[in-house]
Amino acid sequence: AFVVEDLSAFGGQKLLLDRISLRIFGGSITVLLGENGAGKTTLLDLLSGVRSPVQGKVTVGGDDLCRLHPSLRAQKISSLSQLDWAPDDLQVAWRIAHGLVPRLGFRKLLTTSARDRVHAIAQRLCVDQLLRLPLGALSGGERRRVSCARALVDDLAIAYLLDEPFAGLDLNHREILVGLLQERAASGAVVVVSLHEISLARALGGRLISLRRGQV
């Protein structure tokens, strides 16, 4: 579980999160809902350890997130940002495999076990026919599914934090991703998803946290 205590964050002079306190448990999906600028991405960045708070703290499984070694934090928490900065010439299979680096290291990405895990998540998200292609050859929706596959390929993480994972996906692929996220949550993992659409929030079920101007 994540425990957020009195958390505040700034972007320049702008207050992005204003003394938020909440608990997020595994077993069901937690949806962050709000308009652009409401604080959803900032909260996800703080939960993943990408960003440090100016006030308050986040603990995960009882550990202070800021004090965890980055490699251990990356093993515990898998995250998906809104943008994929990977180079266009990177092969899809390798991009998905990057999600296993925190746990396995780069050398073990060539093992049969690692390749099987990459293929399994790629098949689940309907990108298995794209594994040999460079990212630059994909459509926006295909690339988003590849990014989701990278974030979900490690099924041993205790938390999955996804920022707008459904952006650019058609209805069929949205339903597939909904099912996959529900399975991860049902296995006991913490799953936090940021959204704009209330209809998707209903489809995901679980708990809804609405943010506005940096407050719950």
Side-chain angles (χ1 to χ4, degrees):
F2 283 92
V3 179
V4 176
E5 300 178 64
D6 204 27
L7 204 63
S8 295
F10 283 86
Q13 298 298 313
K14 183 181 178 183
L15 182 62
L16 301 177
L17 288 179
D18 186 9
R19 302 185 66 162
I20 285 180
S21 294
L22 51 85
R23 293 172 182 263
I24 302 175
F25 298 98
S28 65
I29 296 173
T30 297
V31 175
L32 303 179
L33 196 67
E35 300 173 347
N36 289 333
K40 303 186 302 298
T41 295
T42 302
L43 180 54
L44 285 173
D45 286 347
L46 289 164
L47 292 176
S48 65
V50 171
R51 164 179 209 145
S52 298
V54 296
Q55 176 180 306
K57 71 174 184 177
V58 178
T59 59
V60 56
D63 296 316
D64 187 334
L65 198 60
C66 290
R67 296 184 178 182
L68 280 179
H69 191 279
S71 63
L72 179 57
R73 188 174 64 222
Q75 289 178 32
K76 287 176 175 285
I77 303 169
S78 182
S79 61
L80 171 72
S81 64
Q82 289 188 30
L83 298 176
D84 180 10
W85 300 104
D88 286 346
D89 60 352
L90 183 65
Q91 191 182 58
V92 167
W94 279 108
R95 182 54 180 155
I96 296 174
H98 283 173
L100 294 171
V101 170
R103 193 166 307 281
L104 301 180
F106 279 101
R107 291 185 178 181
K108 291 187 178 180
L109 294 185
L110 295 175
T111 63
T112 300
S113 174
R115 290 199 301 267
D116 287 347
R117 291 168 75 177
V118 168
H119 189 271
I121 195 69
Q123 190 172 43
R124 186 69 186 273
L125 288 169
C126 306
V127 292
D128 51 311
Q129 300 301 314
L130 309 175
L131 288 173
R132 296 179 181 274
L133 295 179
L135 292 173
L138 308 185
S139 68
E142 289 170 339
R143 188 154 180 165
R144 194 57 177 164
R145 280 183 278 139
V146 169
S147 294
C148 289
R150 179 203 57 77
L152 295 168
V153 66
D154 183 4
D155 56 5
L156 298 178
I158 66 170
Y160 300 90
L161 312 177
L162 300 98
D163 198 356
E164 298 288 349
F166 297 96
L169 302 192
D170 58 33
L171 182 59
N172 180 51
H173 293 124
R174 284 185 173 196
E175 291 177 350
I176 291 170
L177 183 56
V178 165
L180 185 51
L181 294 176
Q182 289 173 333
E183 288 175 15
R184 291 295 165 91
S187 73
V190 173
V191 178
V192 185
V193 178
S194 74
L195 297 174
H196 285 99
E197 301 175 44
I198 191 67
S199 59
L200 269 173
R202 291 193 183 106
L204 284 165
R207 182 188 187 198
L208 177 64
I209 297 175
S210 180
L211 293 174
R212 186 180 184 192
R213 296 178 183 175
Q215 294 184 323
V216 173

